[in-house]
Amino acid sequence: MEHNGGSLGSLILVVSISFIIPVLLYQLRLRVVPVVVAEIFAGLVIGRSGFNLVGDDPWVELLSLLGFIYLMFLSGLEIDFSSFTKQKGGKKRKYEPLTAAAVIFLGIFILSGILSWLLVAAGFIDRVFLTTLIIGTISLGVVVPVLKERKLLATDLGQTLLLVTVLADFFTMILLSFYVSFLSKSMSKMLLLLLFFFLITFIYMFVKRFASGKAFQVLEEGSIQFGTRFIFTLIMVIVFISERLGVENILGAFLAGVIVSLIKPKKEFVHQLESFGYGFLIPIFFVMVGAKLELKYLFADYKILLSIPLLLIVMFVAKLVPLILLKKWYNWRDVISSAILLSSKLSLVIAAATLALDLHLISESFHGALILVAILSCLIFPILFNKLAPKQQNKKISISIIGLNHISLPVAQDLSHETVYNIRIFTKASSERKEMDIQPSSLLNIYHLPQMNEAALKERQAFEADILVIATMDDAFNASLAKEVKAQYNGRILVRIESPELQSDMVHYGFEVFSTLYAARTVLRALIDSPGALKLLSEDEGMIFEVTIQHLPYRTTYLRQLPGLEHILILRIYRGQSFIIPHGNTEIRLGDRLLISGNAEQVDFFRSLVTS
């Protein structure tokens, strides 16, 4: 079937390749190979360097361009600007990750410039600034999944590496755009670029106001997928403006992603956007990147061939030297493995290489060399990092309980026997223990304070915990302390309130409230209505647990594919503020909270499989 000079055959072939690649990787157990790398290799086979089955087809070219634009949009969307704000509460840090990241990024950029100049002097390249950007950039799409898999994102080291990557990603795109405008040697083009950034600022202000308005909220809740329509309109409008002003469309797409990231969309919505991109448009782009490569040019020039391993070494050195700053707090193994991970390149190198080729800044042969460098870097470096970097130990959930009484003590003693919790109890020196018949276990850490107030608790680091339980017998004190702490605390706060009127007030403020009177009433109602359910909740062999999914065996994982389900029962799946009734074909996502029934040992085994 042909239409307007194009054939659907090429498009069907490319789409089929993008479908077959993940299946082959799964069947051949090649999970260490990134899908995008396999897609580029497949493109080599069917393209100019292989069987030449895909020509200059307008259908494929258009969808490949859209895939390129959408890839840049998702690159901007991946930037989490909340990482640049200081976290409230938490443990005292040895250093500030943002400051360290800024210094390291500056060092990487300066050293990349020096190394680029040396490559020019040696005759390997002739574009210093372009090569500086290529050497200095880092692949956010490679670094973030690896850090998540190794459970490093919550650590200071992981946050530092993430921030360095974000800074490199963001400034590479901006500097690349200014570089292209500078090459034009036209003041009007530079002024148009500045006008473009002014318009982007105006668009961001409009989008932020519109997205927070009632009309957007109502339309988004409908069945017309208004949010998705809005995003694609935003991308197309900004890309159109960028092209009309002579700015590269990839910068427009990237900044569209930045705008969406700044308005903090829901994770479920971001997942929908990623599913469309990585499920259809982006694979077409990567297959066509491989299809357009002509490897014969690489072998025609020994300097180009030699530049491939040389660039890989230079990229590593450019990251290693600035990262020596971290040696003050980490060992050499951590520093070297971090440099290896930050040497990973992909999207932005391909984007820069494609743009440079279109502008005739580099030759076909050097373009091919850069693509291969990107492929090899995201194939070799993450694997080396996983081999070299020490595995992060499962972090215990820290709980601070304020108030020692007949309610808090039995719960603390039960939790102290489970390996996932670290319990600390804070009580007044005069102690509430006189009212209790239960004696504290030796496993508990109990701190006796001369005065029960915020200053004394802060001095004993009571607020440095994942969960804060305020459970004294005084409702007014509990409510007052919770409100005072909330402004400086970033974890969960559970507050004991017996007064029904005060309960409503505290729930309105966003606290998790519990009450012994309400609990007793609920238990009695459950005993009358559903004695079987109450028995399930109360018996030792068959307790209810909540497990947060932090690791999945496959990119798309269904409930039936989760390991360790033989001796446990999944009761409910919580995703954000909503819940899902579980079925075998329910897709499981990172961050999902699973409500599970089973004995403690079986649940601990399951937890270890989905969190490590």
Side-chain angles (χ1 to χ4, degrees):
M1 178 179 176
E2 295 187 1
H3 182 67
N4 293 337
S7 171
L8 277 178
S10 297
L11 177 60
I12 292 171
L13 175 62
V14 172
V15 172
S16 300
I17 289 289
S18 67
F19 167 74
I20 293 170
I21 288 299
V23 177
L24 287 177
L25 292 180
Y26 172 77
Q27 293 295 335
L28 298 175
R29 301 184 183 277
L30 297 175
R31 297 177 191 171
V32 296
V33 180
V35 174
V36 294
V37 173
E39 288 167 349
I40 294 174
F41 274 119
L44 285 170
V45 173
I46 65 172
R48 297 173 184 173
S49 298
F51 296 103
N52 200 22
L53 300 176
V54 180
D56 297 326
D57 188 274
W59 288 74
V60 181
E61 291 291 340
L62 175 61
L63 289 174
S64 176
L65 174 61
L66 291 175
F68 191 24
I69 290 172
Y70 203 73
L71 177 64
M72 290 298 100
F73 165 77
L74 291 180
S75 296
L77 183 60
E78 280 183 336
I79 297 178
D80 183 8
F81 288 93
S82 63
S83 302
F84 291 91
T85 59
K86 292 184 178 180
Q87 298 296 320
K88 299 175 182 177
K91 296 183 179 179
K92 293 181 180 178
R93 288 170 160 170
K94 298 177 182 177
Y95 68 99
E96 180 54 49
L98 179 56
T99 304
V103 174
I104 291 169
F105 166 71
L106 187 62
I108 289 173
F109 189 77
I110 293 172
L111 186 57
S112 298
I114 295 171
L115 293 171
S116 298
W117 182 81
L118 291 175
L119 290 174
V120 169
F124 286 99
I125 58 172
D126 56 3
R127 295 284 178 176
V128 176
F129 192 76
L130 178 64
T131 310
T132 299
L133 296 180
I134 289 171
I135 293 174
T137 190
I138 306 165
S139 176
L140 193 64
V142 174
V143 171
V144 172
V146 173
L147 290 176
K148 282 183 179 178
E149 185 177 351
R150 303 291 297 189
K151 295 185 180 178
L152 289 170
L153 276 180
T155 66
D156 285 346
L157 178 60
Q159 281 295 301
T160 304
L161 299 181
L162 174 65
L163 288 167
V164 172
T165 306
V166 168
L167 288 169
D169 228 23
F170 185 76
F171 283 102
T172 296
M173 282 302 306
I174 302 299
L175 291 173
L176 181 62
S177 181
F178 274 102
Y179 176 63
V180 171
S181 297
F182 173 77
L183 287 178
S184 67
K185 297 180 180 180
S186 171
M187 182 58 69
S188 61
K189 192 163 186 178
M190 190 67 72
L191 291 174
L192 287 174
L193 180 61
L194 294 175
L195 174 62
F196 173 72
F197 281 108
F198 173 79
L199 291 174
I200 289 295
T201 304
F202 175 78
I203 291 172
Y204 163 67
M205 294 171 64
F206 169 78
V207 168
K208 184 179 180 181
R209 185 172 182 178
F210 178 66
S212 61
K214 185 177 180 180
F216 184 88
Q217 304 297 330
V218 172
L219 289 169
E220 189 182 25
E221 291 173 359
S223 59
I224 59 173
Q225 298 295 324
F226 179 75
T228 306
R229 299 185 188 197
F230 175 73
I231 293 300
F232 280 99
T233 302
L234 177 68
I235 296 172
M236 292 299 111
V237 167
I238 295 180
V239 168
F240 173 76
I241 292 173
S242 65
E243 291 193 338
R244 295 295 295 176
L245 295 178
V247 180
E248 292 303 319
N249 53 28
I250 59 171
L251 177 63
F254 179 82
L255 292 178
V258 169
I259 289 173
V260 176
S261 177
L262 284 170
I263 62 176
K264 298 178 180 179
K266 295 178 181 178
K267 291 183 179 179
E268 294 81 2
F269 182 58
V270 173
H271 181 75
Q272 291 177 12
L273 296 175
E274 291 177 340
S275 297
F276 176 75
Y278 289 111
F280 179 57
L281 288 176
I282 295 174
I284 294 175
F285 166 69
F286 280 119
V287 171
M288 289 306 297
V289 166
K292 291 179 181 178
L293 281 179
E294 296 192 50
L295 295 181
K296 62 182 179 181
Y297 291 118
L298 296 179
F299 298 99
D301 188 343
Y302 79 93
K303 282 188 177 182
I304 294 295
L305 201 58
L306 187 60
S307 68
I308 294 175
L310 188 59
L311 279 171
L312 289 171
I313 295 170
V314 165
M315 288 171 179
F316 171 68
V317 172
K319 307 303 187 302
L320 177 62
V321 175
L323 280 170
I324 292 177
L325 172 68
L326 297 179
K327 181 64 180 66
K328 183 178 180 180
W329 304 285
Y330 302 100
N331 56 42
W332 276 112
R333 184 168 182 170
D334 289 332
V335 172
I336 294 173
S337 61
S338 298
I340 288 173
L341 180 61
L342 293 188
S343 302
S344 305
K345 322 271 180 187
L346 191 61
S347 304
L348 285 183
V349 169
I350 293 175
T354 304
L355 178 60
L357 181 64
D358 292 341
L359 297 174
H360 307 291
L361 300 178
I362 60 175
S363 63
E364 282 272 6
S365 55
F366 192 62
H367 170 260
L370 290 176
I371 299 297
L372 283 182
V373 165
I375 294 171
L376 292 173
S377 71
C378 70
L379 181 61
I380 297 171
F381 291 135
I383 295 173
L384 288 177
F385 174 80
N386 283 331
K387 295 290 184 183
L388 187 60
K391 189 174 182 180
Q392 183 73 9
Q393 296 297 319
N394 287 335
K395 180 179 175 291
K396 286 189 174 183
I397 299 172
S398 57
I399 303 176
S400 289
I401 300 178
I402 299 172
L404 180 63
N405 49 59
H406 65 284
I407 300 300
S408 60
L409 181 58
V411 174
Q413 291 188 153
D414 288 342
L415 294 176
S416 67
H417 294 289
E418 297 187 26
T419 58
V420 296
Y421 297 111
N422 180 26
I423 312 292
R424 293 182 299 159
I425 301 178
F426 300 86
T427 185
K428 194 174 179 181
S430 58
S431 187
E432 298 155 291
R433 285 170 54 188
K434 295 177 182 178
E435 305 175 13
M436 299 180 297
D437 297 327
I438 304 174
Q439 293 299 315
S441 166
S442 59
L443 297 174
L444 294 176
N445 297 314
I446 300 178
Y447 300 86
H448 299 275
L449 307 179
Q451 294 293 328
M452 182 66 83
N453 54 41
E454 183 184 0
L457 289 165
K458 193 171 185 178
E459 184 179 350
R460 298 305 296 267
Q461 301 178 344
F463 306 135
E464 296 181 6
D466 299 307
I467 301 175
L468 181 63
V469 181
I470 304 176
T472 73
M473 308 292 287
D474 187 343
D475 278 10
F477 172 80
N478 294 345
S480 174
L481 181 63
K483 291 177 181 178
E484 290 174 0
V485 171
K486 186 177 182 182
Q488 56 185 334
Y489 184 74
N490 205 41
R492 293 176 61 198
I493 301 178
L494 281 64
V495 190
R496 177 185 178 181
I497 301 292
E498 300 296 341
S499 167
E501 295 79 12
L502 193 53
Q503 282 180 15
S504 301
D505 179 59
M506 296 301 288
V507 170
H508 175 73
Y509 276 99
F511 294 106
E512 298 179 63
V513 177
F514 68 96
S515 160
T516 53
L517 294 177
Y518 178 76
R521 188 172 67 199
T522 303
V523 168
L524 179 58
R525 175 67 183 269
L527 190 59
I528 295 171
D529 289 342
S530 309
L534 183 62
K535 184 179 179 181
L536 176 64
L537 290 169
S538 59
E539 63 185 8
D540 291 334
E541 295 297 322
M543 297 175 65
I544 304 297
F545 300 86
E546 183 175 289
V547 175
T548 301
I549 301 295
Q550 299 174 346
H551 170 74
L552 292 172
Y554 316 109
R555 182 180 180 88
T556 301
T557 301
Y558 299 104
L559 179 60
R560 55 184 164 78
Q561 295 176 311
L562 288 178
L565 293 178
E566 295 83 4
H567 304 292
I568 63 173
L569 179 64
I570 309 297
L571 302 176
R572 186 163 288 185
I573 302 169
Y574 291 96
R575 182 172 297 160
Q577 300 299 316
S578 60
F579 67 86
I580 300 170
I581 303 299
H583 300 282
N585 289 326
T586 301
E587 183 183 349
I588 303 298
R589 302 175 187 173
L590 293 175
D592 283 354
R593 306 187 312 280
L594 273 57
L595 200 64
I596 295 172
S597 172
N599 66 44
E601 290 183 3
Q602 293 162 346
V603 173
D604 281 345
F605 175 68
F606 174 76
R607 182 184 280 114
S608 68
L609 295 176
V610 297
T611 59
S612 62

